[in-house]
Every structure is written in C-alpha cells, then in structure tokens.
Amino acid sequence: MKAWQAGLRGLWLIQPTVHADSRGTFFERFNARQFEALTGEAPRFVQTCESASAHKNTVRGLHLQLKPKAQGKLVWVQQGAVRDVVLDARPDSPTFGQHEVLELTADNRLQLWIPPGFAHGFTTLTDNTVFQYQVTDFYSPEHERCIAWNDLDLNIDWGVHGEPIVSEKDAKGMSWLEFKTRVVTP
C-alpha cells in the first residue's frame, strides 16, 4: 500500500498493492496498521455505504456532518469512475473554502481519506457507477448539511458534460456564503 498527501492538508490518496496472476487479482482494501503507519490516522469505521448511479453526469454533494457527529470518510469506486470533489469546511484551517478535484476509478483503485470537517461530493463519469465509502460516525440527519454543488463563489468544475442529474436535496443546497455565516459563525 502507498499513500501520499493530496493538495489540501489532511487529505490522503491511498493506492493498494495489487497482486495479480493468471487467476486474477487480490488486494487489501483496508489495513488499519498500514493505514496508520502511512498516514498517521487511525480511523474507527462504524458504517459502510454504497451509492449506485445508473447514469453518467449524476452529481451527488456537497455533503458533510457537523460536530459532534462529523464524519471522516474513506471513499473509492467499485465500478465505473467519478470526479471526486472535497471542500475544506474547517473554519480553523488555512485552506478553509478551498477545494480539490480528483479522479477515482475502478481501474486505478485509488482511495481517498477525507477527514472530518470536509464537504464531499462527486460526479459520475460513466453509466452504472458504484461508489463505496466507510465513515467514522453514524448518519445523523440533524447534523447533516448540504452546500450547493454549483455555488458560483466556489466555482468548482464538476466535469459535467450535458445536463446534470441532481437530487432535490442537492438542488436545494445552501450557498457557501450561507454556510459560512449561518453554520460556521452562527
């Protein structure tokens, strides 16, 4: 397993070691000892989730949970490909309000560790994409927030070609300004 810091502090890209032979492949999706040795993080996962999107250009996000139910996430693509978006929503961070965009695919097998305090979302780049993730705290609707995926102040390139497919919840996400003024500094 290899790990390297992504652009924003606290984000880690993880690449498993794949063993291949004439039968196929084998790799460890997660190994707590190796993960901690490489990243210094020791997440305790409590829930594993899966999101299946039938169509390309499906946009999901930007989602996060606030303290005390903030979630760290280890995410990867089981099938297909996504343009993964993370937004630093930690008010005490020097990169607060900055975002990073990464491509995760079933073929590259990259995983992304997203620490608590980041908003997260993705666009599917292929039909029939299966996205999986493990989280460090249980889903808590009262702590969940949704930031508008298409907020003009954030100016995120989601890689959508054509009409995006967006849920009603995501279409009604709050603006980044509203998040900063109502949530971060109430």
Side-chain angles (χ1 to χ4, degrees):
M1 176 184 292
K2 296 177 188 174
W4 60 95
Q5 285 262 328
L8 299 176
R9 183 177 54 92
L11 293 178
W12 285 90
L13 277 163
I14 313 295
Q15 184 176 46
T17 301
V18 179
H19 305 278
D21 62 23
S22 62
R23 299 168 296 162
T25 61
F26 170 83
F27 67 95
E28 291 180 334
R29 176 62 70 188
F30 178 76
N31 179 308
R33 281 190 297 241
Q34 285 185 358
F35 190 88
E36 185 173 7
L38 291 168
T39 67
E41 300 282 344
R44 180 183 157 270
F45 297 115
V46 299
Q47 195 173 315
T48 301
C49 306
E50 180 175 292
S51 166
S53 300
H55 302 288
K56 178 180 176 178
N57 289 326
T58 297
V59 176
R60 297 178 184 263
L62 291 160
H63 304 145
L64 77 155
Q65 285 188 186
L66 304 175
K67 292 178 182 178
K69 295 293 185 180
Q71 295 176 315
K73 296 178 182 179
L74 181 64
V75 304
W76 65 91
V77 173
Q78 186 67 33
Q79 178 178 305
V82 303
R83 187 171 176 93
D84 201 83
V85 176
V86 287
L87 169 68
D88 190 345
R90 305 170 297 180
D92 58 343
S93 171
T95 56
F96 177 68
Q98 294 179 26
H99 67 274
E100 185 151 353
V101 178
L102 302 152
E103 190 168 304
L104 306 178
T105 72
D107 291 338
N108 71 21
R109 294 185 176 99
L110 288 176
Q111 300 171 71
L112 180 62
W113 165 248
I114 306 166
F118 278 83
H120 175 254
F122 61 88
T123 300
T124 57
L125 301 176
T126 63
D127 290 341
N128 302 312
T129 295
V130 178
F131 186 86
Q132 296 184 323
Y133 53 104
Q134 294 179 295
V135 294
T136 59
D137 209 333
F138 295 101
Y139 175 64
S140 177
E142 59 271 15
H143 294 93
E144 183 184 33
R145 297 298 181 271
C146 179
I147 299 168
W149 69 277
N150 57 352
D151 184 276
L152 295 177
D153 290 332
L154 294 174
N155 194 31
I156 297 171
D157 178 2
W158 288 82
V160 174
H161 301 287
E163 191 64 31
I165 302 166
V166 181
S167 72
E168 184 177 330
K169 175 174 112 176
D170 290 347
K172 293 179 180 179
M174 68 176 65
S175 71
W176 176 240
L177 179 61
E178 182 180 10
F179 178 81
K180 290 191 309 186
T181 56
R182 286 191 45 225
V183 177
V184 175
T185 54

